[in-house]
Amino acid sequence: MELYGYPLKAKFNQPRPPPPKVLPAASTAAAKNCVSCHPESFTMPWMPNSYYKAAALNPTLAPLTENFPGLPPTKIVPFISEKPNSVFTRHTLDDWHRSNMTNYKESETTRHNAERLRADLNRAIKDVYQQAKRTQGESTRNLGERVNDIEYWKSELCIELDAMIRETNSLADMQKRLERALADTEGPFQVAHKCLLHREKRMGIDLVNDDVEKQLVTEIKIIKSCRERLQQCLDTVNAQLMCNKEARQELEKDLADKQMGHHIDSKCYQLKDTSRDIHFFKGVERIDATVSVPETWARFTDNNIFRSQSARAASAKLRASTESLLMGTADEMWRQFSKVNDAFTSRITETANAKSKIQTHLAKTRQEIFQIETKIQVIQKTIKDKEAQLKVAQTRLDERTRRPNVELCRDAAQIRLVQEVNEINETLRNLHQCLRASEDMLQMLVRSKGVLEQDLVVKNNSLFIDQERCMGMRKSYPSTVQILGYV
């Protein structure tokens, strides 16, 4: 409510009304002209024209009928009595006392009601403060319990996350050992293949399917089987590492959410009525941005921890089986490697013995050939000597055929010469037979010598392949520590 004569504050904010379309009255135009004659009036504080008009009026008494034009003259009560020198009284003294008592009682009643209202207000204010304090205390207690719950689940998540990180690192180390073990099996596999290829270069009778070749084929099969099992185990380990990584990511995400929630709830827990950074947020209580309830909230974290524990248990079991697989494959490959080496050693020893015997027989054969050749030379010399004797005897007989007449006597000399010639011819026939037999035997000995020498070359080649090439490569076979992937 604005007082009469004071400026209307709201009019400062109202725009000036547009000029009327009709011409203003003469008095209004005169007033405007008057205002325009005094430009200093624009600098004076704005006051309504009524203030100046009211201040310029001179108060005068007028008849009551003029002030109340709607009231008939007969109903107007005169303030002054018509009788001279007498005063008109509207109320009696009892009315005055009664009015005072009524006012007193009304005042007392009003004060009493005001006191009761103040007491009620004090109780209401006290109740409001107590209710607000109790409600705020309950909210603070609930926030504290919530902070404790978050701290508990945070600790559980941290413990599980540390365990998962250790298990994942252990499984990653096992993965590296598997990869190294799988790579280390390539060497023995190539060695076994090369041994088989080298042994294909054996010659003659030594190109046999012996125990060494059988053990080499078995070794290749075992290495292939071990490689397949190691590769399958490596694929399983890679899949388990992915599961561990997913479980770890869920734990880290849940832990990050818990840390953010713990920070927010701790901040809310520490807020008080005197705290800074508290503001009004109208209608915030009507916004429901929640996505879970305490049961689902706890179940979510519990499921994450259970999933991580299951992944850790599977990972630990897989590590144990992988360790067993590494030990088993290494032992199996090493045992077969030892069998192949033993077979090579036996075959090399057997070949060396055969070579030694061949060398012995070859030496004897060469000695026998030398002796046969010597005998042949003796027989040939004997034959030449006997032929000279035969020539002498036959010459004697031929000369004695030229004796004249009776001198052709069959005497003892003639008979002996004939016997000598026959004996020498028989001896020559025997000697020629012996010479032919010796020459045949020499040919047989030479052939045997050639066979022995060829067999010796074969044995030398087999020994070189088995002892130098194959066993030379198998000396570089990885140790058990390398197969197990410890280095």
Side-chain angles (χ1 to χ4, degrees):
M1 179 178 178
E2 297 293 339
L3 296 177
Y4 182 77
Y6 283 87
L8 296 176
K9 297 181 181 180
K11 290 187 178 180
F12 282 104
N13 296 329
Q14 298 295 330
R16 179 176 294 178
K21 294 182 180 181
V22 297
L23 294 175
S27 60
T28 307
K32 287 185 179 180
N33 294 330
C34 182
V35 172
S36 62
C37 295
H38 299 278
E40 65 275 6
S41 61
F42 292 102
T43 60
M44 299 176 63
W46 180 87
M47 298 292 284
N49 295 331
S50 58
Y51 173 79
Y52 297 101
K53 292 178 181 180
L57 293 176
N58 293 321
T60 56
L61 294 177
L64 186 61
T65 57
E66 294 181 1
N67 293 333
F68 300 96
L71 188 65
T74 55
K75 299 294 183 179
I76 298 176
V77 179
F79 288 95
I80 301 175
S81 175
E82 295 179 353
K83 296 179 181 183
N85 299 329
S86 65
V87 179
F88 174 76
T89 58
R90 293 178 296 173
H91 302 286
T92 62
L93 186 60
D94 294 333
D95 293 335
W96 181 78
H97 286 290
R98 192 180 305 110
S99 176
N100 289 338
M101 293 302 295
T102 302
N103 291 334
Y104 297 157
K105 289 182 180 180
E106 184 178 357
S107 175
E108 289 179 357
T109 303
T110 304
R111 288 199 309 275
H112 179 68
N113 293 333
E115 289 177 358
R116 287 199 309 171
L117 180 59
R118 284 191 294 106
D120 293 339
L121 289 176
N122 289 332
R123 285 195 300 272
I125 292 172
K126 186 177 181 180
D127 292 341
V128 166
Y129 274 107
Q130 290 179 354
Q131 179 67 24
K133 185 177 181 181
R134 182 169 58 254
T135 304
Q136 192 178 71
E138 291 178 357
S139 299
T140 304
R141 184 172 61 255
N142 292 334
L143 285 172
E145 293 176 356
R146 180 65 175 179
V147 169
N148 293 333
D149 293 341
I150 295 176
E151 288 179 350
Y152 168 76
W153 286 113
K154 273 181 57 181
S155 63
E156 293 294 325
L157 285 172
C158 289
I159 294 172
E160 183 60 30
L161 184 59
D162 293 339
M164 175 55 72
I165 291 174
R166 290 194 299 270
E167 180 60 33
T168 303
N169 293 336
S170 300
L171 191 61
D173 294 338
M174 185 62 68
Q175 180 193 25
K176 294 179 181 178
R177 287 180 56 192
L178 271 174
E179 291 175 350
R180 287 196 296 266
L182 189 60
D184 290 336
T185 56
E186 183 65 25
F189 185 76
Q190 295 296 331
V191 166
H193 263 292
K194 289 182 179 180
C195 287
L196 284 177
L197 293 176
H198 286 314
R199 284 177 64 82
E200 289 296 324
K201 298 177 182 179
R202 292 175 296 171
M203 299 182 298
I205 192 64
D206 277 11
L207 192 61
V208 295
N209 187 15
D210 53 2
D211 186 59
V212 176
E213 188 169 353
K214 294 178 181 178
Q215 293 297 333
L216 282 173
V217 172
T218 304
E219 184 180 21
I220 290 175
K221 291 180 180 179
I222 289 176
I223 293 175
K224 283 185 177 180
S225 176
C226 292
R227 285 171 62 85
E228 290 176 357
R229 284 181 287 171
L230 288 174
Q231 185 62 45
Q232 291 177 358
C233 186
L234 181 60
D235 295 339
T236 306
V237 169
N238 291 334
Q240 185 61 44
L241 279 175
M242 291 300 297
C243 292
N244 290 359
K245 184 178 179 180
E246 292 175 359
R248 177 181 174 181
Q249 289 177 350
E250 291 295 331
L251 290 177
E252 290 176 347
K253 181 180 178 182
D254 196 3
L255 182 59
D257 293 342
K258 290 289 185 296
Q259 290 175 348
M260 180 61 70
H262 183 269
H263 174 71
I264 293 174
D265 285 345
S266 297
K267 181 179 179 180
C268 294
Y269 177 74
Q270 294 172 0
L271 286 178
K272 298 179 181 178
D273 295 341
T274 58
S275 299
R276 303 173 66 180
D277 297 334
I278 56 175
H279 306 282
F280 287 109
F281 296 93
K282 187 176 181 180
V284 71
E285 69 278 359
R286 293 191 296 271
I287 300 175
D288 189 5
T290 59
V291 296
S292 64
V293 295
E295 290 77 10
T296 57
W297 174 79
R299 192 182 305 115
F300 177 78
T301 304
D302 187 61
N303 290 337
N304 288 336
I305 294 175
F306 179 75
R307 178 184 178 185
S308 176
Q309 290 175 349
S310 301
R312 280 198 303 111
S315 178
K317 185 178 180 181
L318 182 59
R319 281 195 301 109
S321 62
T322 304
E323 185 71 28
S324 176
L325 178 63
L326 286 174
M327 295 293 293
T329 52
D331 182 66
E332 188 176 357
M333 293 171 62
W334 184 258
R335 280 190 285 107
Q336 185 60 30
F337 172 77
S338 300
K339 288 182 180 180
V340 174
N341 286 351
D342 293 340
F344 264 113
T345 303
S346 300
R347 186 61 180 170
I348 290 171
T349 302
E350 187 177 2
T351 306
N353 292 334
K355 175 186 174 182
S356 178
K357 291 180 180 180
I358 289 172
Q359 288 175 342
T360 301
H361 284 281
L362 183 60
K364 291 180 179 180
T365 301
R366 287 175 178 173
Q367 182 67 28
E368 189 64 29
I369 289 173
F370 176 74
Q371 292 177 0
I372 289 295
E373 288 177 347
T374 303
K375 289 300 179 183
I376 288 174
Q377 292 176 359
V378 171
I379 291 173
Q380 289 175 350
K381 185 177 183 302
T382 302
I383 289 173
K384 288 181 180 180
D385 292 340
K386 289 298 181 181
E387 287 178 348
Q389 292 177 5
L390 181 58
K391 290 178 181 180
V392 171
Q394 287 181 350
T395 301
R396 285 176 177 176
L397 286 174
D398 183 69
E399 288 296 329
R400 291 194 71 180
T401 57
R402 295 183 182 92
R403 288 178 298 174
N405 300 322
V406 76
E407 288 298 324
L408 291 170
C409 180
R410 188 178 181 83
D411 52 5
Q414 184 70 23
I415 295 170
R416 186 56 189 163
L417 284 172
V418 172
Q419 290 178 354
E420 182 181 2
V421 169
N422 292 330
E423 289 177 0
I424 290 173
N425 286 329
E426 183 67 25
T427 301
L428 286 173
R429 284 194 299 272
N430 293 333
L431 288 174
H432 281 293
Q433 288 180 357
C434 290
L435 180 60
R436 286 193 298 270
S438 297
E439 289 176 350
D440 293 339
M441 183 57 67
L442 180 61
Q443 292 296 324
M444 293 177 63
L445 288 173
V446 170
R447 190 181 303 110
S448 178
K449 174 190 172 185
V451 171
L452 291 175
E453 288 176 348
Q454 181 65 25
D455 200 7
L456 184 61
V457 171
V458 171
K459 295 298 183 290
N460 286 330
N461 180 65
S462 299
L463 280 176
F464 175 76
I465 291 173
D466 290 344
Q467 192 169 11
E468 298 298 330
R469 290 190 174 181
C470 294
M471 291 303 292
M473 287 189 303
R474 297 185 72 81
K475 289 180 181 178
S476 62
Y477 191 85
S479 63
T480 306
V481 177
Q482 290 175 331
I483 295 175
L484 290 176
Y486 288 112
V487 295

